Every structure is written in structure tokens, then in C-alpha cells.
Amino acid sequence: MNLNNYQITVRELLSNPKAVAILERELPDLLHHPMLGFAKNMPLKKVLGFAAGNVPQETVDRVLRLLEEA
């Protein structure tokens, strides 16, 4: 999947069933997070900034790699 240099929006990401499956598997609480609706129009790069300190960097790196391979 082309993450467009992490400029893909969360909404675009969630429109891809493969991406949703990866997120459900790797970050199961993410899709039920109360701020998800707020973040849908944000680019992935901005959301990744919010994840810093809350999600281990190894997890973020693995999820990004899996999304790029999807």
C-alpha cells in the first residue's frame, strides 16, 4: 500500500480492508479509541506523532512495514 510518505489520511487508510485487518491484529484497541473520529482527516504522519511515547517504536515500525507491504 502506498502510504504517500505518511501523508495518507487515517480515513483513506481505514477504507482499505487489508489495512484495517493489520490494525485490528497489531493494535486492537486503536479502532475503538474515542479520538479515532477526530483523527480520520489527519495525515498518518501527524497521528504517528501522537503515538510517540504511547506505542513502542518497534510496534509502530512493524505496523508501518506491514501496511507498506499490504
Side-chain angles (χ1 to χ4, degrees):
M1 156 178 253
N2 181 0
L3 300 180
N4 198 24
N5 199 29
Y6 307 127
Q7 293 303 313
I8 187 172
T9 65
V10 172
R11 180 180 310 282
E12 292 170 311
L13 192 64
L14 295 176
S15 71
N16 183 307
K18 288 181 182 180
V20 171
I22 291 167
L23 294 173
E24 284 177 339
R25 184 180 71 237
E26 301 293 326
L27 299 165
D29 295 333
L30 177 71
L31 297 178
H32 305 289
H33 194 282
M35 295 301 289
L36 184 61
F38 177 72
K40 284 188 176 179
N41 293 319
M42 291 182 182
L44 180 59
K45 187 171 192 163
K46 186 169 188 168
V47 175
L48 290 173
F50 296 137
N54 296 308
V55 178
Q57 188 60 47
E58 300 83 27
T59 302
V60 172
D61 293 342
R62 182 179 63 249
V63 170
L64 291 174
R65 181 179 39 80
L66 290 168
L67 290 171
E68 289 172 339
E69 293 172 356

